[in-house]
Amino acid sequence: MAAADFEIERLRLQAAGSLPAHCFDDFQRLSRTLLHGPAFQWLLVDAPHELLRKQVMAALDGVLHAAGLQINRLPLGRRIADVATLEKRLLKNAGKAAVVHVIGSQGWFDAARWDAFNVRRERIAAEVRARLVFWLDAEAIALASHGAPDLWAWRGGVYAFTPLRSTGLLRTDTVGGDAPFVPHRDGPDVRSMSERRRRIADIRAWLDSHGSAADDLIVAPLEELGRLLHAVGDYDAALAHWRERELPLHRLRGDDRRVAVTQGKIADVLQVRGQLDEVLRIRREEQLPVYERLGDARSVALTQGGIADVLEARGQSDEALRIRREEELPVYERLGDERERAVTQAKIADVLEARGQLDEALRIHREELVPVFERLGDVRARAVTQGRIADVLEARGELNEVLRIRREEQLPVFERLGDVRERALTQARIADVLEARGQLGEALRIRREELLPVFESLGDVRSMALTHGGIADVLEAWGQWDEALRIRQEEELPVYERLGDVRARAVVRWKIALQLLGRTESASLAEARQLLEAAYADLSRMGLPEAQVLAEQMRERGLTVVPST
């Protein structure tokens, strides 16, 4: 890191530390995005308290000034009578500054104005080359998420700086007394990880103080608590919550639909953990009969899709294809659900690609999916589909075209949308191609400098582990065996063990074992055999085809793998 960059990071940390402790995480995220994100960004900040907002803005502006970024402020008041005037002022102010703070007065952005802003989004993105930070309140942000979904998809991030006792999560009188629970608004969950953890604590406090509340009154807090535990990656707590709190409540109330939905959430986590037999049982015995009895055709089709996901993971592609073509697609076609139909078509194409039917997979993506998303105006889904086309071309070895699609068809879209995660995932695929072409140094640079900081800021531990694995792959190719082994043992494997991701854990154990087999120490060879036996046991128990690949590799090395018990 250059001396100037180091000084900026020092100032950023110092500024974050000058704010109330609960503002630290979101300040770090917001300042990092402004410093390192694209020239055009649309960022939303929930900051209804004027004094705290001024404190955060002063700290932020100090960091931005030090980084050489000019700043401009645009208050929304009587002088800006409508969105057309706002657009003109944004264009004018962006000519003077790299960052424009738009400070919204309460009620200025109503549904009609968001709709008008939504219509102008393409022109604003093309002409206003600045980082636009909209300082609003939770109500205005919620209106944007509901009333302007196309515009909402362009957000670069949503941040919250609210006084600790009035976070907008629970009313200040909800902990204790007889005050009702105030649920989180429907729609996209824009809360930061720290905000979600505070919400978990608030809900638990509310539940503890309302132990005698009627069953109907605790449904909403229990359901939101379960979603939050899953969202912050605490899978053990989420499973225990669903099994011990939600399911008994829904059964007591005779709410069969909620029982089935909760069972589906449990199955989602168990699938990640490799308990595929139990996942299939839940889908077939706990969910399907309920949705069929209720006459809910869409939920039946979605559950059939979940069954197909498991069968596909186990290599039972014929039955997975049959389900998608005969049980899912006709339902979505009958319901006129173009989006779910397209998603199912994409999964069919994935199966065909895995079976080597690359031409048909390409045809589906190009002729069935791209036109649908263009008709729906879903630029993000279209870019994701272009990525799937690139996946097929990569399997064909057309790496130049793959790089062109990633760099010209995907990256600019995600940058314009401010979709930091999808941009990083696309860069990860670019790094994979560069590695395949022998450009190891650039692949390593992307993973270390472009990907790890983004996934760290997002709190995406799984993607961080995958990136560390890619770094270890390059180091292995360079012969840096000890550091590659350290990364796999310390940065990768513990993450998958903590998440309970059985398949990923087995694959990493497999790679560690292959490295250890190259050593002569008897202890290393014994550890390698133990790892291989554990990996083979996991893959076999899940019914995954990789188990046979592993067994074949061992036979080639003169080893017989006996699954550990």
Side-chain angles (χ1 to χ4, degrees):
M1 182 181 289
D5 292 336
F6 181 85
E7 178 62 16
I8 296 299
E9 287 302 301
R10 187 191 67 78
L11 286 173
R12 195 164 71 88
L13 187 63
Q14 186 180 61
S18 70
L19 299 172
H22 67 279
C23 297
F24 185 93
D25 288 346
D26 274 21
F27 183 87
Q28 288 285 75
R29 290 175 54 237
L30 175 58
S31 57
R32 182 187 294 111
T33 301
L34 288 169
L35 289 171
H36 303 298
F40 173 77
Q41 300 178 54
W42 181 54
L43 310 175
L44 294 158
V45 182
D46 176 7
H49 191 281
E50 184 178 3
L51 291 178
L52 182 57
R53 183 183 72 235
K54 289 181 176 178
Q55 186 181 358
V56 173
M57 290 179 72
L60 184 62
D61 288 353
V63 175
L64 298 177
H65 276 306
L69 294 174
Q70 295 298 311
I71 302 158
N72 190 284
R73 297 192 181 192
L74 177 58
L76 296 179
R78 294 178 181 176
R79 294 184 179 180
I80 301 179
D82 50 33
V83 173
T85 306
L86 172 60
E87 181 184 1
K88 293 176 184 176
R89 290 292 303 275
L90 286 175
L91 184 59
K92 178 181 176 181
N93 289 26
K96 305 173 184 177
V99 179
V100 178
H101 292 304
V102 179
I103 305 167
S105 58
Q106 187 172 14
W108 196 95
F109 264 113
D110 56 18
R113 282 176 170 156
W114 277 129
D115 185 59
F117 198 79
N118 186 48
V119 171
R120 291 167 168 81
R121 68 188 187 281
E122 295 273 2
R123 188 166 61 235
I124 290 173
E127 297 178 1
V128 181
R129 305 307 296 167
R131 301 156 174 86
L132 306 179
V133 188
F134 279 49
W135 299 79
L136 305 169
D137 56 30
E139 184 176 354
I141 293 172
L143 277 174
S145 72
H146 290 293
D150 296 328
L151 173 66
W152 182 254
W154 287 37
R155 72 198 185 283
V158 181
Y159 312 86
F161 300 103
T162 53
L164 192 56
R165 287 304 300 153
S166 60
T167 59
L169 301 178
L170 292 174
R171 291 211 313 240
T172 54
D173 61 348
T174 58
V175 180
D178 297 322
F181 176 79
V182 182
H184 178 67
R185 294 180 179 87
D186 291 335
D189 191 343
V190 300
R191 293 171 289 190
S192 67
M193 292 296 279
S194 60
E195 193 75 19
R196 291 175 187 180
R197 290 191 179 96
R198 287 201 302 275
R199 175 68 166 175
I200 288 171
D202 282 345
I203 293 175
R204 284 173 167 162
W206 189 93
L207 289 168
D208 288 344
S209 64
H210 291 74
S212 60
D215 291 342
D216 288 353
L217 296 182
I218 64 173
V219 171
L222 283 179
E223 289 186 335
E224 186 179 341
L225 180 56
R227 289 194 301 271
L228 286 166
L229 291 170
H230 182 265
V232 300
D234 194 346
Y235 290 172
D236 287 334
L239 282 174
H241 172 83
W242 289 325
R243 286 167 168 164
E244 298 168 15
R245 299 292 301 275
E246 281 198 49
L247 279 179
L249 175 65
H250 298 326
R251 285 171 176 152
L252 181 65
R253 298 176 65 247
D255 193 332
D256 291 345
R257 180 183 295 279
R258 277 193 162 98
V259 169
V261 169
T262 304
Q263 291 281 18
K265 295 173 186 176
I266 292 170
D268 290 340
V269 173
L270 296 181
Q271 185 158 344
V272 171
R273 293 188 160 182
Q275 299 178 34
L276 301 187
D277 287 338
E278 178 61 8
V279 173
L280 278 179
R281 189 198 67 76
I282 290 173
R283 304 282 191 215
R284 287 168 169 165
E285 299 178 17
E286 306 286 351
Q287 290 189 279
L288 270 183
V290 173
Y291 295 136
E292 288 171 347
R293 188 170 67 252
L294 293 172
D296 186 344
R298 188 173 187 277
S299 293
V300 168
L302 288 170
T303 305
Q304 291 282 14
I307 292 170
D309 290 340
V310 175
L311 298 176
E312 188 178 331
R314 285 182 157 176
Q316 297 172 246
S317 59
D318 288 340
E319 179 60 9
L321 271 179
R322 187 200 66 76
I323 289 174
R324 301 216 189 275
R325 286 170 168 164
E326 299 178 16
E327 307 287 347
E328 285 192 88
L329 277 181
V331 174
Y332 301 134
E333 288 168 352
R334 191 167 66 250
L335 294 173
D337 191 335
E338 280 196 289
R339 189 177 300 278
E340 282 299 337
R341 180 182 181 279
V343 168
T344 305
Q345 288 276 31
K347 291 183 177 182
I348 290 172
D350 290 342
V351 174
L352 297 177
E353 180 187 347
R355 295 169 65 166
Q357 297 174 246
L358 303 185
D359 289 341
E360 178 61 9
L362 268 181
R363 187 199 66 77
I364 290 174
H365 287 309
R366 286 172 169 165
E367 299 178 18
E368 302 282 347
L369 304 184
V370 170
V372 168
F373 295 128
E374 287 177 344
R375 187 165 61 252
L376 293 173
D378 192 337
V379 292
R380 185 184 181 280
R382 184 185 184 281
V384 170
T385 303
Q386 291 288 354
R388 290 176 179 263
I389 291 171
D391 291 340
V392 178
L393 296 177
E394 189 170 345
R396 282 178 159 183
E398 300 178 35
L399 300 187
N400 288 335
E401 177 62 7
V402 171
L403 280 179
R404 188 199 67 76
I405 290 174
R406 304 276 188 217
R407 288 169 169 165
E408 299 178 17
E409 304 283 348
Q410 289 190 279
L411 274 183
V413 173
F414 298 135
E415 287 171 352
R416 190 170 72 248
L417 294 175
D419 192 331
V420 190
R421 188 173 187 278
E422 280 297 339
R423 180 179 183 275
L425 292 174
T426 303
Q427 286 183 309
R429 300 308 303 270
I430 289 172
D432 293 342
V433 174
L434 295 176
E435 181 182 347
R437 293 174 63 168
Q439 297 172 250
L440 302 184
E442 179 60 8
L444 188 63
R445 186 199 67 77
I446 290 174
R447 287 167 180 156
R448 282 176 167 165
E449 299 178 17
E450 305 284 344
L451 303 183
L452 280 181
V454 171
F455 294 136
E456 183 179 0
S457 70
L458 294 173
D460 188 343
V461 292
R462 185 187 301 278
S463 293
M464 285 177 65
L466 287 168
T467 304
H468 279 300
I471 291 170
D473 290 340
V474 173
L475 296 179
E476 277 186 26
W478 280 348
Q480 298 181 23
W481 305 105
D482 289 341
E483 177 60 9
L485 185 60
R486 184 200 67 77
I487 289 173
R488 297 211 193 279
Q489 292 176 326
E490 298 178 14
E491 307 288 351
E492 261 197 293
L493 189 56
V495 172
Y496 297 132
E497 288 175 337
R498 189 166 65 250
L499 292 175
D501 189 333
V502 179
R503 182 186 178 280
R505 181 184 67 187
V507 171
V508 176
R509 283 175 169 171
W510 185 349
K511 291 182 177 181
I512 292 172
L514 292 179
Q515 280 193 247
L516 293 175
L517 286 173
R519 302 187 174 194
T520 57
E521 303 94 332
S522 57
S524 295
L525 296 177
E527 183 182 356
R529 179 175 288 278
Q530 289 178 349
L531 288 168
L532 288 170
E533 290 175 348
Y536 184 77
D538 283 341
L539 296 172
S540 298
R541 188 165 56 249
M542 292 176 69
L544 296 178
E546 288 98 324
Q548 299 309 313
V549 177
L550 187 153
E552 184 60 31
Q553 285 192 4
M554 294 307 100
R555 280 194 291 271
E556 290 173 359
R557 289 169 170 78
L559 297 171
T560 301
V561 178
V562 179
S564 60
T565 56

